[in-house]
Amino acid sequence: MPSFYLGVVLMGMGKQVGNLPQRRLLATAIGLAVASWAGAGMAAEQVPQKAKTPVELGSVTVKGQQAESYKTETSSSAKYAAPLLDTPQTITVVPQALLKEQKALSMKEVLANVSGITFNAGEGGGGSGDSINIRGFSANANMQIDGLRDSSQNNRTDTFNIEAIEVIKGPNSVFGGSGTTGGSINQASKQPRQRDFTEIGASLGTDNYHRLTLDTNQTLDGVGTNSAFRLNLMAHENDVPGRDHVDRQRWGIAPSLLLGLSESTRLTLSYLHQNDDNMPDYGVPAFDGKRLAGVEREGFFGWKNIDKEEIQTDAFTVKFEHDFNDNLRLQNLSRYSQVKRDTVISASHVNLAVAPAGQYRPAGPQGYGRDVTSEMWINQTNLTAYFDTFGLGHTLVTGVEISREDYHRNTYSYGLDFAGRSFDLGNPPGYYTGPINKARSAETSTQLDNEAIYVFDTLALNEQWDLSLGLRYDWIKGDSKNIALPAGTVTRVDSRDKELSGRAGVVYKPTENGRIYLAYGTSFNPAAENLASSGALTAAATELDPEENETWELGTKWELLNNRLQLDAALFRVEKTNARETMADGSTQLAGEQRVQGVEFGVTGRITDQWNVYANYTFLDSETLKAADTAAGIAREGQALGNTPPRSFNLWSTYELPAGWRVGYGARYASERNVTSSDNAKLDAYWVHNAMVGYKVTDELDLQLNMNNLFDKEYVQSVRQNVGLNTRSSAIEYGDARSAVLSATYSF
């Protein structure tokens, strides 16, 4: 085994390998060698039962528990072949049962169940443009769907085709590639099942909430072996609680077909189409993280007749699986996706210096349009082997990943004119009535290519000790072309990076139901990290090596109450040792250092047969240790990172009462935190409370009432990390106001 790992490292570090065909051939050779070696080893000796255990636990336990419990045994990604209990990393799974009970529809609503996560305001809010922070670091480009990277940020506004969402915390480049400093997020799509069922859902609520869904699954008798078809449909509309003029409309369709070509070979074809029509919302004007005096929480500072957000998402996925035998599996995933996003946005920034008291003049981008088309082709191959060598049990995963992402953006402006005009801070007009002069301003085209090979091995040293190892080597190539209009000036920038990532962990099993682990991992942030999501690439950054991060994590996981309940805890430290900094002369250098350390606790599962609980707590101690020798850099040193609360807590619990009744209660807390990383302006701490009441009318009909933000708390959920100026404000975005939704589900 050591020679194999050494060979992978040497091949990954071979900078002279110059083209894709060579690397494809190399990766294929690795996979075939491993397959033949594993097959020979299994033929020579009996594989210990211990090595087979993860496979047998996987499909059986998850299917049985996800419908009735929050506790999840395995990851949906083939890269995590071992059970979550034996994985030396903090992985929090938000299961389908919880999504149904909360009626959690957007990524923001789902991730509200996971402590240590905050949101910066993105392009127009509304879900698709929100920027996610995990453990203080951006995870905006670290989204995955079924284990495949999704840099273009689709599938963010609705969960109608999502089975569960996995939050993998800590540097994770060995699994997800570039980024993943604080962690990554994997969305598990709904897949065809081996049983017939149909669920029809209808919901009505406050703020013009209307929703219809269909989830039907049919086994296909006489078509191959264990074939099935599943169809998910969704139509939705609502006004945003507590916000004037802001509404959301969308519909989606997601069919998937599982074809059992034989007992050992399966092919799954999946398609997703979703249309969104939203009113973008930049919140309300603020200074130092506080709403300006005279501004109402409901005030809409955009233009209803100008602003828009139209999103069309299409994704086609092919999954091929073949079991050579009980101990050797092949999986190939291919996906093509396209996201078209046509937006016109108007910021809620205001200028008070040029207006009478109590009045304002709009500032920042007003009537700024962006037509964006993102395309992605990605292929991933995983070979999973369970075998034994020299008395050591192995769970080995080798893989190859190849992707190309194209991003094309046209920007334009409506030329809104506010000269000599001002408006009431307490009653913004919401509609624009002045002159319009629409004109294109720029055209941007980017291409991001990523090729990677990786290997993971979990070694069962003995009954009580496991060793988990992982290596990944990435080749990243980014190209950007920008045309400034009307002059037609062309700017081209390119980036080339090669990076080796690693992870190692040791797991001690003092008892059958308990684990203690110590893990170390690395990650990297290349200049082209956000090229496919924002088109951002600067010439100064391309001259630098990627930013580098590392983490240490000491944790424990325990299954209690006959394995119904899992407790976990972790101590961790994440360090970014060479953050990009803009120096006094305008150059960019890797001169910054940042650190986040803390502790996390979680409890998930059933306390009794009637009582479910899902809770977690995170304490974060974040600090900028070193920055550029400039006024802005000096101001950041010693400060906590922006929008990174030291303490956060989430709870959701349900109890099943007699006669078909059930009740649920949830609470969410975030402590006071810095608006930015360079000053002492604070966002207020908050508590938010939710509740649920359900009643099983018949075996087929179920009713449920969800009440969100019970006490109508005004709290800042997303923030632009800018405190603002006396002459030009910043903005804050509030969480939804109090609302209620009544849902009916008919199942047969």
Side-chain angles (χ1 to χ4, degrees), residues 122-188:
E123 298 178 358
S128 62
D130 294 306
S131 177
I132 302 171
N133 289 347
I134 303 177
R135 289 180 174 175
F137 296 98
S138 174
N140 200 40
N142 307 133
M143 308 293 294
Q144 299 177 1
I145 301 176
D146 301 321
L148 296 176
R149 194 172 65 256
D150 176 45
S151 299
S152 59
Q153 303 177 11
N154 61 16
N155 258 35
R156 299 278 294 274
T157 60
D158 206 289
T159 59
F160 81 101
N161 194 44
I162 298 299
E163 190 70 35
I165 291 181
E166 304 166 351
V167 180
I168 302 99
K169 293 185 176 179
N172 199 31
S173 287
V174 70
F175 291 103
S178 63
T180 67
T181 306
S184 61
I185 298 166
N186 181 44
Q187 304 170 69

Coordinates of all heavy atoms in Angstrom, one line a residue, residues 122-188:
G122 N -26.4 38.6 -1.2 CA -25.9 38.4 -2.5 C -26.6 39.2 -3.5 O -27.1 40.3 -3.2
E123 N -26.5 38.8 -4.8 CA -27.1 39.6 -5.9 C -28.6 39.5 -5.8 O -29.3 38.6 -6.3 CB -26.6 39.0 -7.2 CG -25.1 39.1 -7.4 CD -24.6 38.6 -8.7 OE1 -25.5 38.1 -9.4 OE2 -23.4 38.6 -9.0
G124 N -29.2 40.5 -5.2 CA -30.6 40.6 -5.2 C -31.3 39.7 -4.1 O -32.6 39.7 -4.1
G125 N -30.6 39.1 -3.2 CA -31.3 38.3 -2.2 C -32.0 37.1 -2.9 O -31.7 36.7 -4.0
G126 N -33.1 36.7 -2.3 CA -34.0 35.7 -2.9 C -33.5 34.3 -3.0 O -34.1 33.5 -3.6
G127 N -32.4 34.0 -2.4 CA -31.9 32.6 -2.4 C -30.8 32.3 -3.4 O -29.8 31.8 -3.0
S128 N -31.0 32.5 -4.7 CA -30.0 32.1 -5.6 C -28.8 32.9 -5.6 O -27.7 32.4 -6.0 CB -30.6 32.2 -7.0 OG -30.9 33.5 -7.4
G129 N -28.8 34.1 -5.1 CA -27.6 34.9 -5.0 C -27.0 35.1 -3.7 O -26.1 35.9 -3.5
D130 N -27.5 34.4 -2.7 CA -27.0 34.6 -1.3 C -25.7 33.9 -1.1 O -25.4 32.9 -1.7 CB -28.0 34.0 -0.3 CG -29.3 34.7 -0.3 OD1 -29.3 35.9 -0.1 OD2 -30.4 34.1 -0.5
S131 N -24.8 34.6 -0.4 CA -23.5 34.1 -0.1 C -23.4 33.4 1.2 O -23.7 34.1 2.3 CB -22.5 35.3 -0.2 OG -21.2 34.9 0.1
I132 N -23.0 32.2 1.3 CA -23.0 31.4 2.5 C -21.6 31.4 3.1 O -20.6 31.1 2.4 CB -23.4 29.9 2.2 CG1 -24.8 30.0 1.5 CG2 -23.4 29.1 3.4 CD1 -25.3 28.6 1.0
N133 N -21.6 31.6 4.4 CA -20.3 31.4 5.2 C -20.5 30.2 6.1 O -21.5 30.1 6.8 CB -20.1 32.7 6.1 CG -19.7 33.9 5.3 OD1 -19.3 33.8 4.1 ND2 -19.7 35.0 5.9
I134 N -19.4 29.4 6.2 CA -19.3 28.3 7.1 C -18.1 28.5 7.9 O -17.0 28.6 7.4 CB -19.3 26.9 6.4 CG1 -20.5 26.7 5.5 CG2 -19.2 25.8 7.4 CD1 -20.5 25.5 4.7
R135 N -18.2 28.5 9.3 CA -17.1 28.7 10.2 C -16.4 30.0 9.8 O -15.1 30.0 9.9 CB -16.2 27.5 10.2 CG -16.8 26.3 10.9 CD -15.8 25.1 11.0 NE -16.3 24.0 11.8 CZ -15.7 22.8 11.9 NH1 -14.6 22.6 11.2 NH2 -16.2 21.9 12.6
G136 N -17.1 31.0 9.4 CA -16.5 32.3 9.1 C -15.9 32.5 7.7 O -15.5 33.6 7.3
F137 N -15.9 31.4 6.9 CA -15.3 31.5 5.5 C -16.3 31.2 4.5 O -17.2 30.4 4.7 CB -14.1 30.5 5.4 CG -13.0 30.8 6.3 CD1 -12.8 30.1 7.5 CD2 -12.0 31.8 6.0 CE1 -11.7 30.4 8.3 CE2 -10.9 32.1 6.8 CZ -10.8 31.4 8.0
S138 N -16.2 31.9 3.3 CA -17.2 31.8 2.3 C -17.2 30.4 1.7 O -16.2 29.8 1.5 CB -16.9 32.8 1.1 OG -17.7 32.6 0.0
A139 N -18.5 29.9 1.5 CA -18.7 28.6 0.9 C -19.5 28.8 -0.4 O -20.2 27.9 -0.9 CB -19.3 27.6 1.8
N140 N -19.5 30.0 -0.9 CA -20.4 30.3 -2.0 C -20.2 29.5 -3.3 O -21.1 29.2 -4.0 CB -20.3 31.8 -2.3 CG -21.5 32.4 -3.1 OD1 -22.6 32.0 -2.8 ND2 -21.2 33.2 -4.1
A141 N -18.9 29.2 -3.5 CA -18.6 28.4 -4.7 C -18.3 26.9 -4.3 O -17.8 26.1 -5.1 CB -17.3 28.9 -5.3
N142 N -18.8 26.5 -3.1 CA -18.6 25.1 -2.6 C -19.9 24.3 -2.5 O -20.0 23.6 -1.5 CB -17.8 25.2 -1.3 CG -16.5 26.0 -1.4 OD1 -16.2 26.8 -0.6 ND2 -15.8 25.9 -2.5
M143 N -20.8 24.5 -3.4 CA -22.0 23.8 -3.4 C -21.9 22.5 -4.3 O -21.2 22.6 -5.4 CB -23.1 24.7 -4.0 CG -23.3 26.0 -3.2 SD -23.8 25.8 -1.5 CE -25.4 25.2 -1.8
Q144 N -22.5 21.5 -3.9 CA -22.5 20.2 -4.7 C -23.9 19.7 -4.7 O -24.7 19.9 -3.8 CB -21.6 19.2 -4.1 CG -20.1 19.6 -4.0 CD -19.2 18.5 -3.3 OE1 -19.7 17.5 -2.9 NE2 -18.0 18.8 -3.2
I145 N -24.2 19.0 -5.8 CA -25.5 18.3 -6.0 C -25.1 16.8 -6.3 O -24.5 16.6 -7.3 CB -26.4 18.9 -7.1 CG1 -26.7 20.4 -6.8 CG2 -27.7 18.1 -7.2 CD1 -27.5 21.1 -7.9
D146 N -25.5 15.9 -5.4 CA -25.2 14.5 -5.6 C -23.7 14.3 -5.7 O -23.3 13.4 -6.5 CB -26.0 13.9 -6.8 CG -27.5 14.0 -6.6 OD1 -28.0 13.9 -5.5 OD2 -28.2 14.4 -7.6
G147 N -22.9 15.0 -5.0 CA -21.5 14.9 -5.0 C -20.8 15.5 -6.2 O -19.6 15.5 -6.3
L148 N -21.5 16.2 -7.1 CA -21.0 16.9 -8.2 C -21.0 18.4 -8.0 O -22.0 19.0 -7.5 CB -21.7 16.6 -9.5 CG -21.7 15.2 -10.0 CD1 -22.5 15.0 -11.2 CD2 -20.2 14.8 -10.3
R149 N -19.9 19.1 -8.2 CA -19.8 20.5 -7.9 C -20.9 21.3 -8.7 O -21.2 21.0 -9.9 CB -18.4 21.1 -8.3 CG -18.1 22.4 -7.7 CD -16.7 22.8 -7.9 NE -16.3 22.9 -9.3 CZ -15.6 22.1 -10.0 NH1 -15.2 21.0 -9.4 NH2 -15.3 22.2 -11.2
D150 N -21.4 22.4 -8.1 CA -22.4 23.2 -8.7 C -22.1 24.7 -8.5 O -22.7 25.4 -7.7 CB -23.8 22.9 -8.1 CG -24.9 23.8 -8.7 OD1 -24.9 24.0 -9.9 OD2 -25.7 24.3 -7.9
S151 N -21.1 25.1 -9.2 CA -20.6 26.5 -9.0 C -21.6 27.5 -9.4 O -21.6 28.7 -8.9 CB -19.3 26.7 -9.7 OG -18.3 25.8 -9.2
S152 N -22.5 27.2 -10.4 CA -23.4 28.2 -10.9 C -24.5 28.5 -10.0 O -25.4 29.3 -10.3 CB -23.9 27.8 -12.3 OG -24.6 26.6 -12.2
Q153 N -24.6 27.8 -8.9 CA -25.6 28.1 -7.8 C -27.0 27.9 -8.2 O -27.9 28.6 -7.8 CB -25.4 29.6 -7.3 CG -24.0 29.9 -6.8 CD -23.9 31.4 -6.5 OE1 -24.9 32.1 -6.4 NE2 -22.7 31.9 -6.2
N154 N -27.3 26.9 -9.0 CA -28.7 26.5 -9.2 C -29.2 25.7 -8.0 O -28.5 25.4 -7.1 CB -28.9 25.8 -10.5 CG -28.2 24.5 -10.6 OD1 -27.7 23.9 -9.7 ND2 -28.0 24.0 -11.8
N155 N -30.5 25.4 -8.1 CA -31.1 24.6 -7.0 C -31.0 25.2 -5.6 O -30.8 24.6 -4.6 CB -30.5 23.2 -6.9 CG -31.4 22.2 -7.5 OD1 -32.1 22.4 -8.5 ND2 -31.4 20.9 -7.0
R156 N -31.1 26.5 -5.5 CA -31.0 27.2 -4.3 C -32.3 27.7 -3.7 O -32.4 28.1 -2.6 CB -30.1 28.4 -4.4 CG -28.6 28.1 -4.9 CD -27.8 27.6 -3.7 NE -27.6 28.7 -2.8 CZ -26.6 29.6 -2.9 NH1 -25.8 29.5 -3.9 NH2 -26.4 30.5 -2.0
T157 N -33.4 27.9 -4.5 CA -34.6 28.5 -4.1 C -35.7 27.6 -3.7 O -36.7 28.0 -3.1 CB -35.1 29.4 -5.2 OG1 -35.4 28.6 -6.4 CG2 -34.1 30.5 -5.6
D158 N -35.6 26.3 -4.0 CA -36.7 25.3 -3.7 C -36.1 23.9 -3.5 O -35.2 23.5 -4.2 CB -37.7 25.3 -4.8 CG -39.1 24.9 -4.2 OD1 -39.3 23.7 -3.9 OD2 -40.0 25.8 -4.1
T159 N -36.7 23.2 -2.5 CA -36.2 21.9 -2.2 C -37.2 20.8 -2.6 O -37.1 19.7 -2.1 CB -36.1 21.8 -0.6 OG1 -37.4 22.0 0.0 CG2 -35.0 22.8 -0.1
F160 N -38.0 21.1 -3.6 CA -39.1 20.1 -4.0 C -38.4 18.8 -4.5 O -39.1 17.7 -4.5 CB -40.0 20.7 -5.1 CG -39.5 20.7 -6.5 CD1 -39.9 19.7 -7.4 CD2 -38.6 21.6 -6.9 CE1 -39.5 19.7 -8.7 CE2 -38.1 21.7 -8.2 CZ -38.6 20.7 -9.1
N161 N -37.2 18.8 -5.0 CA -36.5 17.6 -5.5 C -35.3 17.3 -4.7 O -34.4 16.6 -5.1 CB -36.1 17.8 -7.0 CG -35.7 16.5 -7.7 OD1 -36.4 15.5 -7.5 ND2 -34.6 16.6 -8.4
I162 N -35.3 17.7 -3.4 CA -34.1 17.4 -2.5 C -34.6 16.4 -1.5 O -35.6 16.6 -0.8 CB -33.6 18.7 -1.9 CG1 -33.1 19.7 -3.0 CG2 -32.5 18.4 -0.9 CD1 -32.0 19.1 -3.8
E163 N -33.7 15.4 -1.3 CA -34.0 14.4 -0.3 C -33.4 14.8 1.1 O -34.0 14.6 2.1 CB -33.4 13.0 -0.7 CG -33.8 11.9 0.2 CD -35.3 11.5 0.1 OE1 -35.8 11.7 -1.0 OE2 -35.9 11.1 1.1
A164 N -32.2 15.3 1.0 CA -31.5 15.7 2.2 C -30.3 16.7 1.8 O -29.9 16.7 0.7 CB -30.9 14.5 3.0
I165 N -29.9 17.5 2.8 CA -28.7 18.4 2.6 C -27.7 18.1 3.6 O -27.9 18.0 4.8 CB -29.2 19.8 2.7 CG1 -30.1 20.2 1.4 CG2 -28.0 20.8 2.7 CD1 -30.6 21.6 1.4
E166 N -26.4 17.9 3.1 CA -25.3 17.5 4.0 C -24.4 18.7 4.1 O -23.9 19.2 3.0 CB -24.6 16.3 3.4 CG -25.5 15.1 3.2 CD -24.8 14.0 2.3 OE1 -23.8 14.3 1.7 OE2 -25.4 12.9 2.3
V167 N -24.0 19.1 5.3 CA -23.1 20.2 5.5 C -21.8 19.5 6.0 O -21.7 18.9 7.1 CB -23.6 21.2 6.5 CG1 -22.6 22.3 6.8 CG2 -24.9 21.8 6.0
I168 N -20.7 19.6 5.2 CA -19.4 19.0 5.6 C -18.5 20.2 6.0 O -18.2 21.0 5.3 CB -18.8 18.3 4.4 CG1 -19.7 17.2 3.9 CG2 -17.4 17.7 4.8 CD1 -20.5 17.5 2.7
K169 N -18.2 20.2 7.3 CA -17.4 21.3 7.9 C -16.0 21.0 7.9 O -15.5 19.9 8.0 CB -18.0 21.6 9.3 CG -19.4 22.2 9.3 CD -19.8 22.6 10.7 CE -21.2 23.2 10.7 NZ -21.7 23.6 12.0
G170 N -15.2 22.1 7.8 CA -13.7 22.0 7.8 C -13.2 22.0 6.4 O -13.9 21.7 5.5
P171 N -11.9 22.4 6.2 CA -11.3 22.3 4.9 C -11.5 21.0 4.2 O -11.2 19.9 4.8 CB -9.8 22.6 5.2 CG -9.8 23.4 6.5 CD -11.0 22.9 7.3
N172 N -12.0 21.0 3.0 CA -12.5 19.9 2.4 C -12.1 19.7 0.9 O -12.8 19.2 0.1 CB -14.0 19.9 2.5 CG -14.6 18.5 2.3 OD1 -14.0 17.5 2.6 ND2 -15.8 18.5 1.7
S173 N -10.9 20.3 0.5 CA -10.5 20.3 -0.9 C -10.3 18.9 -1.4 O -10.4 18.6 -2.6 CB -9.3 21.2 -1.1 OG -9.6 22.6 -1.0
V174 N -9.9 18.0 -0.5 CA -9.6 16.6 -0.9 C -10.9 15.9 -1.4 O -10.8 15.1 -2.3 CB -9.0 15.8 0.3 CG1 -10.0 15.6 1.4 CG2 -8.4 14.5 -0.2
F175 N -12.0 16.4 -1.0 CA -13.3 15.9 -1.5 C -13.9 16.7 -2.5 O -14.5 16.3 -3.5 CB -14.3 15.7 -0.3 CG -13.9 14.6 0.6 CD1 -13.3 14.9 1.9 CD2 -14.1 13.2 0.3 CE1 -13.0 13.9 2.8 CE2 -13.7 12.2 1.2 CZ -13.2 12.5 2.4
G176 N -13.9 18.1 -2.3 CA -14.6 19.0 -3.2 C -13.8 19.8 -4.1 O -14.4 20.6 -4.9
G177 N -12.5 19.8 -4.1 CA -11.7 20.6 -4.9 C -11.4 22.0 -4.3 O -11.3 22.1 -3.1
S178 N -11.3 23.0 -5.1 CA -10.9 24.3 -4.7 C -11.9 24.9 -3.7 O -13.1 24.6 -3.8 CB -10.6 25.3 -5.8 OG -11.8 25.5 -6.6
G179 N -11.5 25.8 -2.9 CA -12.3 26.4 -1.9 C -12.5 25.6 -0.6 O -11.5 25.0 -0.1
T180 N -13.7 25.5 -0.1 CA -14.0 24.6 1.0 C -13.2 24.9 2.3 O -12.9 24.0 3.0 CB -13.9 23.1 0.7 OG1 -12.6 22.8 0.4 CG2 -14.8 22.8 -0.5
T181 N -12.9 26.2 2.5 CA -12.1 26.6 3.7 C -12.8 26.2 4.9 O -12.3 25.6 5.8 CB -11.7 28.1 3.6 OG1 -11.1 28.4 2.4 CG2 -10.8 28.4 4.8
G182 N -14.1 26.7 5.0 CA -14.9 26.4 6.2 C -15.7 25.2 6.1 O -16.2 24.6 7.1
G183 N -15.9 24.8 4.8 CA -16.7 23.6 4.6 C -17.4 23.6 3.2 O -17.2 24.6 2.4
S184 N -18.3 22.7 3.0 CA -19.0 22.6 1.7 C -20.4 22.0 2.0 O -20.7 21.5 3.1 CB -18.3 21.7 0.7 OG -18.1 20.4 1.2
I185 N -21.3 22.1 1.0 CA -22.7 21.7 1.1 C -23.0 20.8 0.0 O -22.8 21.1 -1.2 CB -23.6 22.9 1.2 CG1 -23.3 23.8 2.4 CG2 -25.1 22.5 1.2 CD1 -23.9 25.1 2.3
N186 N -23.6 19.6 0.3 CA -24.0 18.7 -0.7 C -25.5 18.5 -0.7 O -26.0 18.1 0.4 CB -23.3 17.3 -0.6 CG -23.6 16.3 -1.6 OD1 -23.7 16.7 -2.8 ND2 -23.9 15.1 -1.2
Q187 N -26.2 18.7 -1.8 CA -27.6 18.4 -1.9 C -27.9 17.0 -2.5 O -27.4 16.8 -3.6 CB -28.3 19.5 -2.7 CG -28.0 20.9 -2.2 CD -28.5 21.9 -3.2 OE1 -29.7 22.1 -3.4 NE2 -27.6 22.7 -3.8
A188 N -28.6 16.2 -1.8 CA -28.9 14.9 -2.3 C -30.3 14.9 -3.0 O -31.3 15.2 -2.3 CB -28.9 13.9 -1.2

